[in-house]
Amino acid sequence: MNIRFVLCCFLLSLPVWSGAQERNAACRIDVEQFCSQSKGSGQQAMQCLLDHQKEVSDACYDTLKKRVETQRAIKACKPDAEKFCKGVEPGGGRIISCLVEHQKEISDDCYDQLAKRKAGGSS
């Protein structure tokens, strides 16, 4: 079976990262415990939680890990999305679908990040 076909099918089944809602649910107590001064800013709270990653709850740690992996994928795929997906409205997995449509043309970095998401790996 072609790995790109498998990747395509996987990406289409990925849930959209809901960011703040998931982080708030999984990390609410950790934010209160470790980052009470950062509550107003999502980015500051995120950095604070990363600074305390060895101390946060398992659920919060898992959420942080997913968020970092997502940010890596966004960074790796942003140039490809800008090149191949101009005019595609973000949300609902439309950018990922567009990248899948251009899977033979995307950069190796983007492809690798998307493959890592498929495999559930991180680095």
Side-chain angles (χ1 to χ4, degrees), residues 8-27:
C8 173
C9 293
F10 170 77
L11 291 174
L12 292 174
S13 69
L14 280 177
V16 175
W17 170 261
S18 61
Q21 290 178 335
E22 283 187 36
R23 185 178 61 246
N24 288 342
C27 298

Side-chain angles (χ1 to χ4, degrees), residues 16-74:
V16 175
W17 170 261
S18 61
Q21 290 178 335
E22 283 187 36
R23 185 178 61 246
N24 288 342
C27 298
R28 183 179 59 239
I29 293 171
D30 298 287
V31 169
E32 290 172 7
Q33 183 176 357
F34 301 112
C35 310
S36 61
Q37 297 176 351
S38 303
K39 277 186 184 177
S41 166
Q43 195 63 24
Q44 287 179 345
M46 177 75 169
Q47 186 58 52
C48 176
L49 290 170
L50 288 171
D51 291 343
H52 292 277
Q53 63 183 300
K54 292 184 179 183
E55 303 161 280
V56 299
S57 66
D58 290 344
C60 184
Y61 180 82
D62 290 344
T63 299
L64 290 173
K65 184 177 173 183
K66 288 177 189 174
R67 179 67 177 165
V68 168
E69 290 169 354
T70 299
Q71 287 176 339
R72 285 181 183 153
I74 289 170

